[in-house]
Structure formats: structure tokens, C-alpha cells
Amino acid sequence: MTIETRMKLFNRICAGVLIAFALLWLTPLLWAFDTAIKPNAETTRTTWLTSNPTFDAFGRIINETDIVRWFGSSLFIATLTACGAVLTGSLAAFALSRMRFKYRNVVFWVVLAGIMIPSQVLIVPQFREMDSFGLLNTFWAVSLPQIPTAIAVFIFKQFFDGLPRELEEVARLDGASFLRIYGRIIMPLARPAVAAVAIFTFVSSWNDLLWPLLVLSNPDIMTMPVGLATVQGSFGIRYADTMASALLGAVPLVAVFLLFQRNIVEGIAGSGLKG
């Protein structure tokens, strides 16, 4: 076999594997949509399609629940968390990448050790901290504990380490300060890393259920996962309504990945994050 033939065979195998994984990922979504457009009386039948497709389940979710308000709360909290993670993570990473101080590597490894700490371990101290500041039942109580993330520091530091230092040296000769170099030179070049961290943090915050469930008791500021949990509990065996609510809750995340998938790949590739 020639090299060209081998390359074509390899590409076809890769395409086949990707198609297989895509089908595995799409099948549950198609099943959920198929269930959502069935009348509730037919949802217990394990068959595809229905002779009476209807979108009544989506209408009930929109009209009988506060899903629009949940969307707004989740969007605000996830956006605030993503912006905070980008700001704090990039500042910490820039200091670790460019500043020279004693035990710099030790500090970096201590920060990375935070990746191995399960978030559930910190629930009690974080809850007491939010309570002591009087922030319970507010958006800040949900967002603030999610802002400092070790993975954001790691991604930014790996990206900053790959940038040429000559740009900063020229800026220092022109009298630029440390923060000016960070804001005017480094961050514009780090857009792929910014996009990757922002998207990952946004998705993580949007999907978080346990922490908002603990710190929020006001139904007016419930997030999407908490609201969907109440829907599933109240609707019981109304599987069409449950699937419709789950699909509506997943729409923003699917849209984010479809719109910014190139930025995610560039950010991961530029940071050296693998696996």
C-alpha cells in the first residue's frame, strides 16, 4: 500500500469512529426529544415516534413554570462567575508566569493541588462563610465560591509561558507598568485561553445543582438546575414534561459549544492541556 492509500484508509477509519461516537451522543438527545413530543399517556411505550406528535409539553413548561426567570438567574450567575474566573485566574497566572519570587513553583503546585479537592468537601465551610457575610439567598452566594478555580490558573499560565517575553521588555522600556502590560499586551493575545476558561466556567456554573440548592431558598432567584429539579418532583411520571424541561435547559449549553467550539479547541491547544 502506498502512503497516500494508507492516509486515505486512516482518515476513513477516523471518520467512522467519529461518526460512531456522534451517534452515541445524539441517540439520548433524540430519544429525549421523541419523548417530549409524545402525549404523556404514550411516553411509557418504548417505541420511536408517535402518531400524534405534540409540543404541548413545551407549552406547559413555559406557561406553568418560571423557566424564563430561571434562565435569567442562571445566565446572570454563570456570566458573573465566568468573568470572575477569567479575571482572577489570568491575574494569578500572569504573576506566576512573569514575576520572579521565592517558592514560585511551590505556590503553583499548591494551586494545582486544588484540582484534586472535591467541591463537596468545601460545602460546609463555604456555607458558613457566606452566612457570616450575610450573602445567603443572593446571587453572590452562588457565584463567589465558584470563581477561584485552579484549572483556570493552569490554562492561563501554560498559555502565558508560551508567549514571547520580548513584547514585555519593549513595553517596559516605554515605561509600561506591570498591570498595563497585562491589560494591553498579554490579555489581547490570550483570547483563545480566555474563551476556553470562560466557556468551561460558564457551563460548570450553569449545570451546578447542589450549591445553589443549599444557598438559595427564594423561588424568584432559582437557577435552571434547581428549577428543573422542582419540575421533575412536581410532575412525577409526566415524562414528556420532564424531557421537555431538560431539553429547554440544555439549549443554551449546546448553543455555546456550537458557537465557540473553535475557541475551545484553540484555548486547550494553546495551553497544552491534554486528556
Side-chain angles (χ1 to χ4, degrees):
M1 297 178 65
T2 63
I3 296 179
E4 183 178 357
T5 304
R6 291 178 181 177
M7 289 297 298
K8 289 182 179 179
L9 179 61
F10 177 76
N11 291 335
R12 289 176 181 176
I13 293 174
C14 291
V17 172
L18 291 176
I19 292 173
F21 276 106
L23 291 175
L24 288 175
W25 183 81
L26 288 174
T27 299
L29 291 180
L30 294 176
W31 184 269
F33 180 76
D34 178 68
T35 304
I37 63 175
K38 288 179 179 179
N40 278 298
E42 297 184 16
T43 54
T44 55
R45 301 176 184 175
T46 57
T47 57
W48 286 91
L49 303 178
T50 176
S51 58
N52 300 308
T54 176
F55 290 91
D56 290 345
F58 293 93
R60 284 193 295 271
I61 293 299
I62 295 174
N63 296 325
E64 299 178 11
T65 67
D66 293 327
I67 192 170
V68 176
R69 185 175 296 172
W70 301 338
F71 261 105
S73 298
S74 290
L75 181 63
F76 177 77
I77 291 173
T79 303
L80 179 65
T81 304
C83 293
V86 168
L87 179 61
T88 58
S90 60
L91 283 170
F94 186 57
L96 291 170
S97 176
R98 292 301 192 259
M99 294 183 67
R100 294 291 180 265
F101 55 91
K102 194 174 183 180
Y103 303 122
R104 180 170 63 98
N105 292 330
V106 175
V107 172
F108 178 60
W109 285 108
V110 169
V111 172
L112 286 186
I115 300 177
M116 298 181 290
I117 301 176
S119 58
Q120 293 80 3
V121 176
L122 304 175
I123 285 179
V124 173
Q126 287 178 343
F127 185 89
R128 296 186 63 179
E129 184 179 10
M130 294 297 106
D131 186 28
S132 64
F133 285 113
L135 296 178
L136 291 181
N137 211 30
T138 65
F139 290 136
W140 292 106
V142 182
S143 180
L144 286 177
Q146 302 182 70
I147 287 178
T149 55
I151 190 64
V153 178
F154 175 75
I155 292 176
F156 276 117
K157 184 180 183 301
Q158 296 300 103
F159 194 94
F160 292 160
D161 287 345
L163 296 178
R165 298 179 180 271
E166 289 77 8
L167 298 174
E168 303 168 46
E169 295 174 358
V170 172
R172 287 196 182 93
L173 292 176
D174 291 338
S177 63
F178 187 80
L179 289 178
R180 190 177 183 86
I181 294 172
Y182 160 82
R184 294 295 182 88
I185 298 176
I186 300 299
M187 289 306 291
L189 296 175
R191 289 178 182 176
V194 171
V197 171
I199 293 170
F200 286 145
T201 308
F202 183 93
V203 172
S204 176
S205 177
W206 183 281
N207 287 331
D208 191 19
L209 170 63
L210 180 58
W211 180 245
L213 187 63
L214 292 174
V215 298
L216 296 180
S217 59
N218 186 353
D220 293 335
I221 58 176
M222 279 185 178
T223 60
M224 180 62 68
V226 178
L228 294 181
T230 62
V231 168
Q232 295 174 7
S234 60
F235 285 169
I237 60 174
R238 292 165 60 178
Y239 296 119
D241 295 7
T242 301
M243 290 298 181
S245 63
L247 289 173
L248 289 174
V251 166
L253 303 185
V254 175
V256 166
F257 273 108
L258 291 178
L259 292 174
F260 301 103
Q261 55 182 330
R262 178 174 298 180
N263 301 90
I264 296 174
V265 174
E266 291 178 354
I268 295 176
S271 64
L273 184 62
K274 306 293 183 183

